[in-house]
Amino acid sequence: SDKLYLNEMNKKLIIENTNLKKELEKVRHDVANGRPLRNKNRLNRATTTVIKQDFLNKVKNWFAWDSEATNPPSWPGENGRAVQIPQNLKEESKKRFKENQFNILASDMIALNRTVPDQRSYACKSVKHDQELPNTSIIIVYHNEGNSTLLRGLTSIVRNSPGHLLREIILVDDASEGRDYLHQALDTFAKSLPVQVKILRNAERMGLMRSRLRGAEAASGATMTFLDAHIEATRGWLQPLLAEVKRNRRSVACPVIDVISDETFEYLTGSEMTYGGFDSHFVFDWVPVPQRENQRRQHDYSRALRTPTMAGGLFTIERQFFYDIGAYDDGMDVWGAENLEMSFRIWMCGGELLISPCSHVGHVFRKQTPYTFPGGTNRIIFKNNRRLIDVWTDEYAKYFHKIVPDLNLVDAGDLSPRIELRKRLECKSFKWYLDNIYPEAPLPKDFYHVGSVQNEKFNLCLDTMNRKSGGECGATACHGQGGNQIFEYSKAHNLVSAGLCLDSAMSAKPVKLSNCQAGSKSQQWDYDNQSEQLRNRLTSECLAVNQSNNQQIVTAECDKESTVQKWLLKDPIF
Ligand code: UD2
Ligand code: MN
């Protein structure tokens, strides 16, 4: 029976090269020489001593999907721990980082079925889920994905999901290049899983949006769950997502996204106190969950958050509702903007977007994308953003085009199908979305003026110079192109640009850009129409061009005659 067992394992083994075959021969030899392998632990032990680490990894994979199997806690990465790269492999791991923009060597050292601590908070432990949940088709698209990350993701899904809820797993290979392991070896691995796996392979690069559309067409589950290809699902992750969709078929549910370190693959619990928003330049951002939302859910931290936006990669949606609400914009390419597009669409057209705090999935966050953007990164990202902005943001579209003038350099393609969709679904306005779903959005809402702030005499305009919080505000020749010269003069008397407030805590000093703080006097300015001065409420001094350094903005004792203190609010956008 040991031999049978070994044969059985042998069948499942993915043999990629003859070296591994030789190693397997060694194990066979050991068996023949009276070193029986009675069970899988025994096999693990035998293999640990007999064979090389890479072969051991293959052996581990045979059992990976078996949720009963656990690994010795000393194995690399177990219990979500960080992996230590041995000194002699450090060089190589650095060199190979760019293949995936994460440390694939660290990932390779971790068992496919590594344990990760249960991520659910105390509040979640007492939640009883409906036994009859809709099933789901998992859809994962990838272009040039790492091997062990993809396989560990699949393994974690199978191990942590009740089998009857997994209708199937659909993989869409978006024209990966080279990477032999994504072919026959992946097919073999997929067959070994106790769930149906369909692998679709794009003949040409379709980008993540159209790849997901292709995956969705092949799905047959009641719901669809989209995931990135470098994730780890954790205990109990699936049921809360399905429960939200069952409660309301127009709900789209995201898990909390935990962080898998791109360097060490340490598993770090994601925050349940942040949810999805966007920054002043309309890029997805995590933002703190406001008090109003915690009050709405009556401080029950097991209840879903109504999130303004989603990160984009991980969510469950009813299959029919996905189409009802407009699927994806198939005019978007490669990467970017589809997450906000879908978020706005869901809220504005009658759905709801949620984060289930009781569902946790880890994701390897990368600092850069490892893959190419055919046709140029900027062109693609600006195009996708135009398709988002021009269709969904009404009067704010003009504002975005002003603060990101490069948007006007690209052709957005034919928008009419999406505009048509918005009409057909009778979606609400973007203003409604801002007022009701995301009142904290870093966009001008209650203002006297949005445009440039100009000193006519010197032809200088306030300019953030693209500086971050803490940097000095500057002034440059008025160019009328918008961008960093767009300032909001708000009803709260703040001068705001790129989400930062003009701040003058000390008299006669350069004026800074700081994070806006409601009520902070150093950030409040009174505009006098007559004298055209901007007077700071803390110092009572006036905003002035620094005469010895034209690029700099200072405050000075107010003097109605002084030409450096005269400011006009010009070029209104709204
Ligand atoms: C985030 C989302 C991602 C997507 C993106 C915006 C999470 C965790 N991830 O970026 O899902 O919404 O924001 O567009 O929320 N891919 C292809 N073909 C391509 C390019 C990418 O199949 O041409 C795959 C890629 O291999 C990966 C997935 O699409 O599996 C997402 O790409 P990513 O991981 O580079 O995006 P990420 O996590 O930075
Ligand atoms: Mn990703």
Side-chain angles (χ1 to χ4, degrees):
S1 62
D2 284 331
K3 281 205 178 137
L4 269 179
Y5 191 63
L6 190 64
N7 278 338
E8 198 47 39
M9 292 303 113
N10 203 359
K11 271 189 229 150
K12 287 185 181 173
L13 179 63
I14 312 153
I15 298 171
E16 285 174 351
N17 58 50
T18 49
N19 263 351
L20 291 180
K21 276 188 193 156
K22 272 188 216 145
E23 298 289 6
L24 186 60
E25 280 310 313
K26 275 195 211 157
V27 178
R28 282 220 186 83
H29 187 260
D30 283 334
V31 174
N33 286 289
R35 287 189 214 168
L37 302 165
R38 252 181 224 104
N39 53 43
K40 48 198 179 187
N41 284 337
R42 186 60 208 266
L43 179 64
N44 277 337
R45 232 175 296 141
T47 51
T48 312
T49 53
V50 176
I51 58 180
K52 287 198 299 201
Q53 177 73 33
D54 57 349
F55 180 65
L56 180 61
N57 278 333
K58 305 290 167 201
V59 176
K60 283 187 257 177
N61 298 350
W62 294 337
F63 310 108
W65 52 266
D66 176 358
S67 60
E68 299 302 308
T70 54
N71 306 321
S74 61
W75 279 8
E78 283 304 321
N79 214 24
R81 275 195 329 267
V83 171
Q84 311 283 339
I85 300 286
Q87 199 59 44
N88 62 329
L89 291 177
K90 279 201 171 136
E91 187 103 344
E92 192 189 342
S93 85
K94 257 206 198 110
K95 219 169 64 200
R96 292 189 55 197
F97 195 89
K98 61 177 178 308
E99 281 173 22
N100 306 284
Q101 290 298 345
F102 53 66
N103 189 347
I104 190 71
L105 252 62
S107 175
D108 287 351
M109 286 171 65
I110 302 171
L112 295 187
N113 61 342
R114 78 144 153 192
T115 51
V116 163
D118 193 334
Q119 297 296 313
R120 292 169 297 182
S121 68
Y122 182 75
C124 294
K125 299 262 159 76
S126 55
V127 176
K128 289 269 170 296
H129 286 297
D130 200 322
Q131 287 304 295
E132 289 188 11
L133 292 168
N135 66 15
T136 200
S137 300
I138 309 274
I139 300 173
I140 297 175
V141 308
Y142 54 88
H143 173 74
N144 292 353
E145 188 57 38
N147 194 24
S148 53
T149 39
L150 176 61
L151 301 189
R152 186 173 308 105
L154 295 173
T155 306
S156 71
I157 291 163
V158 173
R159 279 168 61 87
N160 292 294
S161 313
H164 70 285
L165 295 180
L166 285 187
R167 178 69 188 82
E168 72 220 327
I169 297 177
I170 296 168
L171 303 179
V172 184
D173 183 331
D174 188 15
S176 296
E177 299 140 325
R179 310 222 179 198
D180 286 345
Y181 54 76
L182 290 175
H183 296 93
Q184 213 194 321
L186 181 61
D187 292 338
T188 309
F189 181 86
K191 283 199 194 93
S192 80
L193 294 176
V195 54
Q196 197 193 346
V197 182
K198 298 181 192 164
I199 307 184
L200 311 175
R201 292 182 168 96
N202 298 345
E204 268 164 37
R205 184 90 174 268
M206 293 170 84
L208 78 89
M209 303 83 178
R210 288 191 293 272
S211 298
R212 282 184 191 159
L213 285 170
R214 184 172 180 214
E217 282 302 313
S220 58
T223 71
M224 302 190 286
T225 299
F226 292 91
L227 298 172
D228 274 10
H230 31 264
I231 55 104
E232 284 176 62
T234 68
R235 193 161 265 257
W237 74 288
L238 184 59
Q239 292 91 325
L241 303 178
L242 298 175
E244 292 300 346
V245 175
K246 180 175 180 184
R247 187 184 53 76
N248 173 6
R249 69 173 287 269
R250 305 174 79 82
S251 285
V252 177
C254 309
V256 174
I257 308 183
D258 299 324
V259 177
I260 302 171
S261 160
D262 56 343
E263 287 285 350
T264 67
F265 278 73
E266 182 176 8
Y267 196 101
L268 302 153
T269 306
S271 170
E272 292 172 17
M273 297 299 170
T274 59
Y275 67 4
F278 49 77
D279 70 13
S280 61
H281 280 67
F282 220 39
V283 176
F284 172 85
D285 203 1
W286 299 104
V287 299
V289 175
Q291 254 330 297
R292 62 170 176 85
E293 176 60 7
N294 285 328
Q295 273 157 10
R296 185 198 60 82
R297 52 178 190 154
Q298 295 167 316
H299 296 276
D300 176 350
Y301 296 103
S302 71
R303 273 172 60 180
L305 291 159
R306 286 162 57 93
T307 180
T309 71
M310 65 159 135
L314 327 179
F315 64 96
T316 298
I317 188 167
E318 199 213 60
R319 184 155 61 90
Q320 187 52 48
F321 184 63
F322 176 74
Y323 292 106
D324 291 349
I325 198 98
Y328 274 119
D329 178 356
D330 64 4
M332 288 189 174
D333 300 323
V334 186
W335 181 96
E338 97 295 345
N339 47 358
L340 296 191
E341 194 268 350
M342 184 174 245
S343 305
F344 297 163
R345 191 152 43 77
I346 289 168
W347 281 121
M348 289 163 63
C349 310
E352 71 175 343
L353 182 57
L354 306 171
I355 293 175
S356 290
C358 299
S359 170
H360 280 250
V361 177
H363 169 256
V364 185
F365 285 91
R366 307 188 266 207
K367 295 173 190 87
Q368 287 173 38
T369 44
Y371 42 76
T372 58
F373 285 68
T377 311
N378 280 348
R379 238 194 61 202
I380 286 170
I381 291 182
F382 287 138
K383 175 184 175 190
N384 292 349
N385 271 296
R386 271 199 78 165
R387 296 189 68 87
L388 156 71
I389 287 163
D390 294 359
V391 175
W392 293 100
T393 66
D394 305 328
E395 69 270 29
Y396 283 87
K398 230 173 107 192
Y399 170 73
F400 288 121
H401 279 263
K402 263 293 184 202
I403 58 168
V404 189
D406 286 359
L407 280 175
N408 301 303
L409 301 178
V410 298
D411 178 8
D414 182 9
L415 295 176
S416 56
R418 301 308 283 179
I419 293 169
E420 200 46 50
L421 170 83
R422 185 173 164 179
K423 277 209 200 98
R424 184 162 55 76
L425 295 180
E426 297 177 5
C427 307
K428 297 194 175 83
S429 70
F430 191 64
K431 182 80 169 62
W432 173 89
Y433 169 84
L434 291 178
D435 288 342
N436 294 278
I437 306 302
Y438 194 19
E440 300 82 10
L443 296 179
K445 233 178 22 174
D446 300 310
F447 49 80
Y448 297 116
H449 175 78
V450 181
S452 63
V453 180
Q454 182 173 353
N455 181 292
E456 245 183 347
K457 176 84 194 297
F458 295 86
N459 184 35
L460 285 171
C461 276
L462 292 188
D463 193 316
T464 66
M465 318 290 276
N466 216 8
R467 291 181 183 138
K468 305 279 162 297
S469 175
E472 288 176 12
C473 182
T476 52
C478 298
H479 52 50
Q481 300 298 302
N484 299 333
Q485 289 188 354
I486 299 295
F487 281 74
E488 171 196 5
Y489 182 46
S490 73
K491 294 231 161 125
H493 290 253
N494 297 131
L495 285 161
V496 194
S497 189
L500 300 172
C501 275
L502 232 61
D503 194 323
S504 172
M506 273 195 284
S507 61
K509 281 273 164 14
V511 175
K512 295 210 157 142
L513 298 157
S514 311
N515 295 321
C516 299
Q517 274 180 307
S520 165
K521 286 203 161 160
S522 64
Q523 297 180 350
Q524 291 170 350
W525 306 82
D526 287 306
Y527 185 63
D528 183 335
N529 270 319
Q530 233 80 69
S531 68
E532 298 171 354
Q533 287 171 306
L534 280 160
R535 185 193 288 260
N536 186 276
R537 283 194 184 168
L538 182 74
T539 63
S540 289
E541 292 199 333
C542 281
L543 195 71
V545 174
N546 182 355
Q547 265 177 309
S548 53
N549 175 2
N550 263 350
Q551 301 262 326
Q552 202 173 55
I553 297 298
V554 293
T555 57
E557 199 177 319
C558 295
D559 169 3
K560 287 201 158 98
E561 304 307 313
S562 168
T563 53
V564 290
Q565 294 184 7
K566 295 208 177 293
W567 299 98
L568 292 175
L569 307 179
K570 300 266 283 200
D571 315 318
I573 291 176
F574 289 94

